Amino acid sequence: MPPFWTSRRSLLAGAGGLTAAASLAGCANSRIIGLDKARRSLDICNQGEPLSLDPHKASGTWENNIIGNMFVGLTTEDAHARAVPGMAERWETSEDGRTWTFFLRRAQWSDGEACDAHDFEFAFKRILDPANLAEYAAILYPIMNAQAVNSGQMPPDNVGVRALDDLTLEIQLEHPAPYLPQLLRHYTAYPVPKHKVEQYGDDWIHPDNVVVNGPYILVKWWSNYIVHLQRNPGFWDADSLTLEHLYFYPTTDVQAATRKVLSGEAGWSTRFPSNQVDELRRALPGYAHVAPFLSCNYFSFNCTRPPFNDVRVRQAFAMAYDRDFVAQQIYRTGEHPAYSFVPPGISDYPGTSRFAWAEAPIAERKQEAERLLRAAGYGPNNPISFEFSHRNTSDNPRVAVVVQNDWRSIAPWVTVELRGVEAQVHYANLRAKNYDVGDGAWVADFNDAKNYLFLMETRTGWQNYSGYSNPAYDQLMEASDFEADAARRAAIMVRAEQIMLNDAPICPSVFMNSTNLVHPDLTGYEDNAEDIHRARWFGIRA
Amino acid sequence: MLAQAARRFLLAIPTLLIIVASVFVLMHAAPGGPFTKERQMPPEIERRLLEKYHLDQPVGQQLLTYIGDLVQGDLGPSMTYKDKDVLDIIVEGAPTSAILGLSAMLLALFIGGGLGVMAALRQNRAQDYVVMALAIVGVCLPPLVVGPLAQLVFGVELHWLPTGGLRRDEFDALHLLLPIVTLSLPLIAVISRLMRASMIETLRSNAIRTARAKGLPEAQVIWRHALPIAMLPVVSYAGPALAGVMAGSFVIETVFQLPGIGKQFVIAATQRDYTVVMGVVLVYSVLIIFFNLASDLTYRLLDPRTRAA
């Protein structure tokens, strides 16, 4: 008998195998089309896996990308992410700016039950009830008694939200908050279906139980793989929806996300690697979207111990860092160097505060830095040495090398050690003030300068990573809370930011841009500073 | 044979307990916890969260609570995925990992075994060198390199195959082809080398010499007599290896964006999702123990000598 690979039978089998393989390749036409015009479906590379789809337990922008298509709050966002009426058709504010009355539209949950003011009242009390373990409830603290309820000092019924009748909701505030319409479109302020939550408890968000008041309903959720949403025919504006299906893939690997768009299997990726922008513009004409984003990368100085308890040392290192180089060479999509903390593009905020030395050339700034360090007592006989802690993810390690190089070049007696750690460990260290200088990033929760500046307030606690505490700053920030006039309030916050920059508890690095790859035939996608794009406004170009 | 299996199952219980205890302690020794994040949560909420997951207790106490729940079959809730239990997550991921692992192993056994036998029969000839050279390449090129390359060539450039994922939320052969092949390449390489070495040795053994002396046809000598004996090293490799690929290949599942449990495991570890890590470790340990036993039992079927013992 001949060896097996020359026998007739094995030849036949081999031929059969080849045919099978060829026919498999043949049905490649049945592959996924990212923007499928016939099915009216969109496949989306989202940057992470939702930890929860319950709006009261969510905490990330990637969760917002999904949840924001399922629920609509009192206000909502248009294609440009501006606050527009959502469930509330209009609202009135009292003289002192502390009582807001919202007049709701008639609307229903996807099971036909009415979605009204009682659901909102129920929702606000649920999220602020500490038993519900909502990690993000703190952003609703401007509401009357919210903080007291959330910290267990008062029963949930004391929350300052009341349904006056089915379609009228009254919200009382601790202090005037002209930014309330901005805040109320955040997912923490979404309504939840009272009847379903009472029936199923925390399992109400399970695809079998969930009902929504927004344009899309949850059909399937497969952990770390896919979330499938489908058009909700019961949505009040359902007739104007173009897309029927939305598929969200948690694509933490940004390269994989890009490949998926390149191969046509995804019609939208919420990120792309900024250093590949030129190649991507060539390979995918019309796809790359770059827009200023309400996000600031910054480094915290640990003000609670030497050497950074000295303002001269902090100023020296803040000025010797060449953020222009980082903005142009590390991030490649036109990011702006940060000489202040509040990003440009924040609404109702002039953003005129800046480091005093912002215009000086870097060489001059390094000389000045050396002078400041010498004045603080450092020099060849008393060298300064400390650690720069950074997250070892994305571009952060590359930035760290530039930082180290800039700071060492001030003088030979400056030593900077790099310590790259995973994000969880890094934040644990920052929180315990177990670091010298540490990097970090802040993305706005809602479009208001306070959402940045509160980080440096004394009362913020451990999240004030630098441990900065200046009574003048705290006073101004508190005063801004009680100023009902938007322009005067902004002016107070500008002064506060300038005081903070003069004390330099932080070294702002770069204002980030959002990077999206979007199929050119997807209409209704508009670049905006918050990088929020609701499928409700999407259409398909024929 | 039944007694042997029963003995091994009894031994598995203390083994599992030791694994659970050591992984539990090691994991809690890593800095940071499931609720260490960039953003602050109110102290009251954090206190209640820690209380809910018993994280406010000493590790020893936590371990006892965990084992207590485990004995009752409760793997607990996930600490990061607030809407899901550990069991939900394992059940969601298991089909993908099982399909991937089993198909890759089957493919590897047939192709690797076939190539190994061919190389052995053609020892020191061109076919042998080609197969062994390919095997070295297969061992040296990790799936982390082959996966993205295959995606680029067959997905992005040629547009023959999808680059990753399933067919949205359904399984289909087309989407699984690349990951299965990529996962099986290193297995094929190892198995073909094992098979070749073992076959060469077997062909020189007394048993085979006797078979040939009896005048049996060469095909019968090889397939009927030599192959079962030559397969023994392959079987003892394939058992634990199958547990490894079935419990999820993190690299493959990540590169091809597949919803298996290997990916869940690594994600859970970085997020300090203690309960999910424990759950997947348990699944993996049980599989290892099971497949070790299975390969021992297969030995008895293949090798007449072990049956007497």
Side-chain angles (χ1 to χ4, degrees):
Chain A
M1 183 174 170
F4 70 99
W5 59 90
T6 55
S7 79
R8 226 177 110 221
R9 207 166 48 182
S10 55
L11 271 179
L12 276 174
L18 278 178
T19 321
S23 58
L24 270 178
C27 48
N29 302 335
S30 67
R31 67 216 312 279
I32 297 170
I33 303 169
L35 177 62
D36 193 327
K37 297 181 182 179
R39 271 188 93 227
R40 287 182 293 143
S41 75
L42 179 65
D43 290 85
I44 301 155
C45 292
N46 198 14
Q47 65 267 48
E49 167 71 7
L51 304 186
S52 173
L53 290 179
D54 183 336
H56 290 175
K57 299 192 174 178
S59 57
T61 50
W62 58 96
E63 288 155 357
N64 187 15
N65 287 345
I66 302 172
I67 300 173
N69 288 314
M70 293 164 57
F71 301 94
V72 175
L74 290 167
T75 56
T76 187
E77 45 274 293
D78 65 5
H80 299 272
R82 291 176 298 223
V84 294
M87 283 289 291
E89 287 178 317
R90 61 190 180 87
W91 50 87
E92 289 167 2
T93 318
S94 69
E95 281 282 303
D96 64 357
R98 292 174 58 172
T99 305
W100 293 59
T101 313
F102 292 87
F103 301 96
L104 275 59
R105 65 169 70 241
R106 271 188 201 287
Q108 48 189 231
W109 294 103
S110 46
D111 62 352
E113 290 281 321
C115 172
D116 57 25
H118 301 287
D119 288 307
F120 276 97
E121 182 184 332
F122 175 79
F124 280 107
K125 289 178 178 167
R126 177 175 184 259
I127 188 171
L128 289 164
D129 182 349
N132 192 46
L133 302 176
E135 293 174 27
Y136 228 75
I139 85 163
L140 297 176
Y141 283 0
I143 296 174
M144 173 80 85
N145 294 338
Q147 186 162 10
V149 167
N150 197 226
S151 50
Q153 292 154 9
M154 272 188 196
D157 272 342
N158 287 29
V159 171
V161 179
R162 214 152 43 99
L164 300 181
D165 59 46
D166 283 355
L167 296 179
T168 317
L169 187 78
E170 182 190 86
I171 299 184
Q172 291 193 308
L173 303 180
E174 289 277 343
H175 50 74
Y179 54 89
L180 192 65
Q182 300 283 351
L183 183 59
L184 290 179
R185 62 192 168 93
H186 191 260
Y187 50 81
T188 47
Y190 287 166
V192 295
K194 186 168 181 240
H195 60 293
K196 290 287 178 186
V197 178
E198 282 171 348
Q199 186 180 354
Y200 296 108
D202 283 350
D203 285 337
W204 75 274
I205 195 66
H206 191 276
D208 294 340
N209 308 335
V210 71
V211 297
V212 300
N213 76 330
Y216 291 90
I217 184 163
L218 177 65
V219 179
K220 183 156 188 169
W221 178 12
W222 199 341
S223 290
N224 270 313
Y225 175 58
I226 202 168
V227 175
H228 176 190
L229 303 187
Q230 194 168 0
R231 193 172 75 101
N232 167 20
F235 178 59
W236 71 77
D237 197 19
D239 292 343
S240 63
L241 299 177
T242 306
L243 293 174
E244 185 69 31
H245 299 275
L246 306 174
Y247 298 93
F248 293 87
Y249 301 87
T251 325
T252 33
D253 178 356
V254 62
Q255 304 286 354
T258 307
R259 280 198 295 273
K260 224 167 156 137
V261 178
L262 278 168
S263 68
E265 289 163 83
W268 173 23
S269 169
T270 59
R271 282 181 314 164
F272 66 81
S274 69
N275 52 14
Q276 290 171 18
V277 63
D278 296 330
E279 295 101 275
L280 284 171
R281 284 198 169 121
R282 270 195 300 276
L284 294 168
Y287 275 73
H289 286 250
V290 175
F293 184 38
L294 297 184
S295 169
C296 183
N297 281 8
Y298 69 102
F299 317 136
S300 298
F301 296 120
N302 186 348
C303 306
T304 62
R305 67 183 195 199
F308 293 105
N309 54 357
D310 186 326
V311 61
R312 291 169 296 190
V313 177
R314 299 197 298 262
Q315 278 291 2
F317 287 107
M319 73 175 63
Y321 165 55
D322 191 354
R323 34 184 77 62
D324 293 80
F325 175 84
V326 168
Q328 285 156 20
Q329 300 299 321
I330 306 272
Y331 305 105
R332 305 291 289 276
T333 40
E335 279 74 3
H336 289 281
Y339 289 94
S340 61
F341 186 47
V342 179
I346 281 274
S347 62
D348 295 326
Y349 190 73
T352 45
S353 315
R354 264 171 97 86
F355 280 122
W357 38 261
E359 308 298 334
I362 185 73
E364 214 170 278
R365 272 155 43 191
K366 283 187 177 166
Q367 281 169 11
E368 174 66 11
E370 186 184 352
R371 198 192 61 74
L372 281 170
L373 288 177
R374 282 184 188 271
Y378 297 98
N381 300 323
N382 183 19
I384 182 169
S385 129
F386 57 89
E387 272 187 344
F388 180 81
S389 311
H390 62 89
R391 296 157 295 163
N392 55 11
T393 48
S394 70
D395 286 323
N396 297 315
R398 297 166 64 212
V399 173
V401 175
V402 179
V403 172
Q404 184 187 38
N405 187 51
D406 279 343
W407 287 350
R408 273 182 177 167
S409 69
I410 296 174
W413 37 269
V414 176
T415 317
V416 185
E417 299 290 338
L418 295 185
R419 183 161 68 140
V421 285
E422 58 175 312
Q424 300 250 332
V425 180
H426 180 72
Y427 286 118
N429 286 337
L430 291 192
R431 177 179 177 160
K433 305 271 183 285
N434 174 25
Y435 74 102
D436 296 320
V437 189
D439 77 349
W442 190 253
V443 180
D445 293 312
F446 54 96
N447 194 343
D448 188 79
K450 182 173 164 59
N451 193 231
Y452 277 84
L453 296 174
F454 88 97
L455 283 172
M456 277 79 206
E457 286 183 52
T458 309
R459 61 180 169 184
T460 294
W462 62 254
Q463 202 173 16
N464 177 352
Y465 290 129
S466 60
Y468 175 63
S469 179
N470 182 339
Y473 181 77
D474 291 343
Q475 254 167 26
L476 282 174
M477 286 309 294
E478 186 144 2
S480 78
D481 276 349
F482 289 93
E483 177 55 66
D485 180 77
R488 279 202 298 270
R489 179 172 169 273
I492 296 174
M493 288 195 290
V494 167
R495 271 166 58 207
E497 187 182 8
Q498 190 59 55
I499 289 178
M500 187 270 289
L501 290 175
N502 295 346
D503 288 341
I506 55 166
C507 172
S509 171
V510 169
F511 294 122
M512 299 299 288
N513 280 342
S514 62
T515 53
N516 285 275
L517 291 175
V518 187
H519 197 293
D521 287 347
L522 189 72
T523 59
Y525 177 99
E526 303 289 345
D527 291 333
N528 65 65
E530 288 178 70
D531 202 22
I532 292 178
H533 312 277
R534 301 299 185 211
R536 187 183 162 186
W537 314 112
F538 289 169
I540 296 175
R541 189 171 289 125
Chain B
M1 185 152 154
L2 261 179
Q4 191 197 358
R7 210 166 40 238
R8 293 281 292 272
F9 271 118
L10 283 180
L11 263 177
I13 295 173
T15 315
L16 280 179
L17 278 181
I18 293 172
I19 294 173
V20 166
S22 44
V23 173
F24 198 90
V25 171
L26 278 176
M27 197 173 50
H28 282 77
F35 308 114
T36 323
K37 287 188 192 155
E38 184 179 356
R39 308 209 167 205
Q40 181 176 24
M41 54 180 115
E44 173 69 13
I45 303 300
E46 182 162 25
R47 191 185 63 73
R48 288 185 189 231
L49 266 176
L50 296 180
E51 194 182 292
K52 177 177 173 193
Y53 297 108
H54 310 297
L55 291 172
D56 51 347
Q57 298 168 356
V59 175
Q61 178 102 38
Q62 288 183 42
L63 176 61
L64 289 182
T65 318
Y66 182 78
I67 291 178
D69 290 345
L70 197 61
V71 171
Q72 298 164 31
D74 181 7
L75 291 171
S78 161
M79 292 188 183
T80 25
Y81 302 113
K82 297 174 190 74
D83 311 336
K84 304 205 174 187
D85 288 334
V86 175
L87 198 61
D88 294 336
I89 290 176
I90 291 176
V91 167
E92 281 174 352
T96 313
S97 292
I99 291 177
L100 267 184
L102 275 177
S103 327
M105 185 52 85
L106 276 179
L107 193 68
L109 282 175
F110 277 101
I111 297 184
L115 287 176
V117 171
M118 181 178 90
L121 297 182
R122 297 276 159 150
Q123 196 189 350
N124 297 336
R125 282 194 248 169
Q127 289 100 324
D128 183 22
Y129 293 132
V130 169
V131 170
M132 287 307 107
L134 284 179
I136 284 288
V137 172
V139 174
C140 294
L141 280 181
L144 189 61
V145 175
V146 178
L149 274 179
Q151 284 177 332
L152 269 181
V153 174
F154 297 104
V156 177
E157 294 298 326
L158 296 174
H159 284 267
W160 286 358
L161 291 168
T163 56
L166 304 173
R167 183 163 177 72
R168 297 204 172 96
D169 39 13
E170 298 152 32
F171 288 104
D172 80 340
L174 199 64
H175 280 76
L176 287 169
L177 193 62
L178 274 188
I180 288 174
V181 170
T182 312
L183 183 57
S184 69
L185 286 180
L187 296 174
I188 292 176
V190 173
I191 289 176
S192 64
R193 290 190 72 86
L194 276 176
M195 194 72 205
R196 171 182 178 272
S198 160
M199 186 55 116
I200 288 174
E201 202 185 309
T202 312
L203 287 176
R204 292 187 189 133
S205 71
N206 293 337
I208 300 304
R209 185 157 10 107
T210 311
R212 284 193 175 132
K214 278 201 302 188
L216 288 178
E218 185 65 11
Q220 203 179 340
V221 170
I222 289 169
W223 299 123
R224 171 100 175 73
H225 293 276
L227 189 66
I229 301 175
M231 269 181 62
L232 292 177
V234 174
V235 167
S236 55
Y237 164 77
L242 181 58
V245 287
M246 272 184 66
S249 160
F250 166 68
V251 172
I252 293 292
E253 288 172 9
T254 306
V255 169
F256 290 97
Q257 300 127 51
L258 293 169
I261 52 178
K263 190 162 91 176
Q264 298 283 15
F265 176 68
V266 178
I267 292 175
T270 56
Q271 290 173 337
R272 307 283 187 272
D273 190 345
Y274 298 139
T275 43
V276 171
V277 172
M278 293 305 302
V280 179
V281 166
L282 267 175
V283 170
Y284 183 63
S285 320
V286 169
L287 282 177
I288 284 268
I289 290 171
F290 177 78
F291 283 116
N292 257 322
L293 179 61
S295 66
D296 284 2
L297 296 180
T298 318
Y299 255 65
R300 298 170 72 93
L301 294 178
L302 290 175
D303 188 350
R305 284 168 302 185
T306 51
R307 258 171 267 171

